[in-house]
């Protein structure tokens, strides 16, 4: 610990006295103690050295963060395949009052990991007994936890995000429930936005179905179906090498009227065959209104060891400039 503190202070001293050759020997000694290779700054060709990350300069200049998550509420629409969200306040202000008059309240929640705005880990879906990469689905689960491909293996995302606003491109508020987005429609929307999909992107697809979230069961679909992409668009996105994909609907992909969640071929193609994460039940309305088609997507799942998914609160961040 002492050497770590000494090294940190040494770094600060080195930046402050960069123009003094007398500091070089002290700095080299600190580097040697830290196990690093000594290096002497070129005092004859100096440039201003900043200890501030350039990202902080952008943030300080002003950014806007669009919240792409839905509020977690009791009774919100969700897939019937998962436990519902529940929230209680077991201790309320006034239940216990400190001697100085202070009081505190606390909460307890229970929830499925695939309700509300959430991300699917690669452990969520298997095909013929195998997870992504050919991992045996049974062997991956140890003690009731998916050690392999669980949500704890998803690294926090700070990536280029792309909105593909198919509903807006087709001139409708919401696509019909029986509408499967074709590859032509998808690529035409990209071209109209003058946006491209790149390797490593997080691609968000807006069908407009998210406008039904506050209507409850209408958002689930059921007899009406739910719009979304099918295998053709999914395979094209997989060939582009995307990292993750999200949508404003309950199950990301197209659900045929009356079919429910029985068959989910895009889940298989993304999670099992391609290793692409899926984000569902997103709020894409405001970035659609503001026509924000490219942004920095920031997302981190809860670090739940062995879980197959997690609630998330993704942000689309853009500079105010």
């Amino acid at each position: 610990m002492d050497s770590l503190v000494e090294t940190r202070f040494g770094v600060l001293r080195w930046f402050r006295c960069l123009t003094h050759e007398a500091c070089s020997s002290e700095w080299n000694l600190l580097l040697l103690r830290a196990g690093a290779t000594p290096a002497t700054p070129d005092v004859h060709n100096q440039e201003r050295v900043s200890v501030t990350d350039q990202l902080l300069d952008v943030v300080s200049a002003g950014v806007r963060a669009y919240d792409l998550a839905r509020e977690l509420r009791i009774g919100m629409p969700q897939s019937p395949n998962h436990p519902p969200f529940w929230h209680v306040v077991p201790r309320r202000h006034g239940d216990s009052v400190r001697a100085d008059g202070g009081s505190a309240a606390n909460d307890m929640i229970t929830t499925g990991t695939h309700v509300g705005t959430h991300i699917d880990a690669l452990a969520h879906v298997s095909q013929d007994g195998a997870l992504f990469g050919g991992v045996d689905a049974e062997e991956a689960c140890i003690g009731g936890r998916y050690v392999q491909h669980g949500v704890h293996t998803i690294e926090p995302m700070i990536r280029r995000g792309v909105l593909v606003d198919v509903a807006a491109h087709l001139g409708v508020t919401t696509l019909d429930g029986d509408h499967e987005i074709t590859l032509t429609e998808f690529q035409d929307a990209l071209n109209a936005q003058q946006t491209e999909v790149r390797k490593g992107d997080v691609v968000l697809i807006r069908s407009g179905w998210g406008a039904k979230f506050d209507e409850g069961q209408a958002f689930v679909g059921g007899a009406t179906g739910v719009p979304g992409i099918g295998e053709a668009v999914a395979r094209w996105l997989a060939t582009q090498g995307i990292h993750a994909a999200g949508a404003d609907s309950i199950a990301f992909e197209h659900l045929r009227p009356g079919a429910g969640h029985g068959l989910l071929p895009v889940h298989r193609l993304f999670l099992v065959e391609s290793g692409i994460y899926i984000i569902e039940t997103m709020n894409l309305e405001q970035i659609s209104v503001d026509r924000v088609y490219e942004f920095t997507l920031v997302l981190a799942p809860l670090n739940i060891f062995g879980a197959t998914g997690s609630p998330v609160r993704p942000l689309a961040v853009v500079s105010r400039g």
Side-chain angles (χ1 to χ4, degrees):
M1 183 65 181
D2 290 340
S3 62
L4 178 61
V5 172
E6 184 181 16
T7 301
R8 284 177 176 170
F9 279 100
V11 170
L12 294 176
R13 284 200 300 271
W14 181 71
F15 277 116
R16 283 200 295 265
C17 66
L18 191 63
T19 59
H20 299 285
E21 292 183 342
C23 294
S24 298
S25 59
E26 181 183 2
W27 173 244
N28 285 339
L29 179 60
L30 288 168
L31 284 174
L32 287 170
R33 289 179 182 176
T37 303
T40 302
D42 183 359
V43 297
H44 302 292
N45 184 26
Q46 296 167 6
E47 296 180 359
R48 180 179 180 274
V49 179
S50 174
V51 296
T52 303
D53 192 304
Q54 292 181 356
L55 180 59
L56 293 179
D57 293 334
V58 176
V59 173
S60 298
V63 297
R64 176 172 182 181
Y66 290 85
D67 190 343
L68 307 183
R70 296 289 178 182
E71 285 187 340
L72 293 169
R73 293 175 176 264
I74 296 174
M76 64 183 176
Q78 64 164 82
S79 166
N81 296 333
H82 302 287
F85 173 81
W86 194 259
H87 172 216
V88 296
V89 182
R91 179 177 175 180
R92 305 181 183 190
H93 292 291
D95 288 348
S96 178
V97 181
R98 302 186 184 98
D100 63 356
S103 182
N106 58 31
D107 309 69
M108 181 171 67
I109 63 172
T110 60
T111 184
T113 57
H114 297 271
V115 299
T117 306
H118 65 276
I119 189 168
D120 293 346
L122 301 184
H124 181 45
V125 172
S126 66
Q127 181 67 36
D128 300 322
L131 302 174
F132 173 66
V135 173
D136 186 284
E138 290 189 8
E139 293 179 0
C141 186
I142 300 175
R145 307 289 184 272
Y146 283 94
V147 178
Q148 297 186 68
H149 293 327
V151 78
H152 64 284
T153 65
I154 302 177
E155 295 184 359
M157 298 180 195
I158 304 177
R159 292 176 172 267
R160 178 176 181 263
V162 174
L163 171 68
V164 186
D165 199 341
V166 180
H169 174 65
L170 295 179
V172 298
T173 302
T174 304
L175 298 181
D176 292 336
D178 62 354
H179 189 120
E180 178 178 327
I181 298 170
T182 68
L183 183 56
T184 297
E185 290 171 339
F186 188 87
Q187 292 177 331
D188 284 350
L190 276 172
N191 292 334
Q193 298 174 179
Q194 299 183 357
T195 312
E196 63 179 354
V197 173
R198 303 173 189 166
K199 183 177 181 180
D201 281 353
V202 178
V203 178
L204 309 183
I205 305 162
R206 180 178 174 271
S207 66
W209 199 254
K212 295 181 178 291
F213 183 81
D214 291 334
E215 298 178 25
Q217 282 303 115
F219 180 73
V220 179
T224 65
V226 178
I229 67 169
E231 289 189 70
V233 176
R235 290 192 183 281
W236 183 83
L237 286 171
T239 63
Q240 308 309 303
I242 66 170
H243 183 69
D248 57 350
S249 58
I250 193 166
F252 177 74
E253 61 186 281
H254 174 49
L255 301 179
R256 300 190 182 282
H261 296 229
L263 295 175
L264 300 173
V266 175
H267 276 63
R268 181 201 71 241
L269 199 156
F270 273 5
L271 297 174
V272 182
E273 297 180 16
S274 308
I276 297 170
Y277 303 111
I278 295 175
I279 312 157
E280 296 169 336
T281 315
M282 303 187 77
N283 184 353
L284 305 179
E285 295 308 296
Q286 193 58 50
I287 58 172
S288 170
V289 170
D290 292 350
R291 299 182 181 182
V292 178
Y293 302 129
E294 295 181 73
F295 43 86
T296 298
L297 189 286
V298 180
L299 178 153
L302 297 177
N303 197 7
I304 308 172
F305 179 74
T308 64
S310 167
V312 292
R313 190 175 187 179
L315 303 175
V317 183
V318 294
S319 65
R320 290 193 180 275

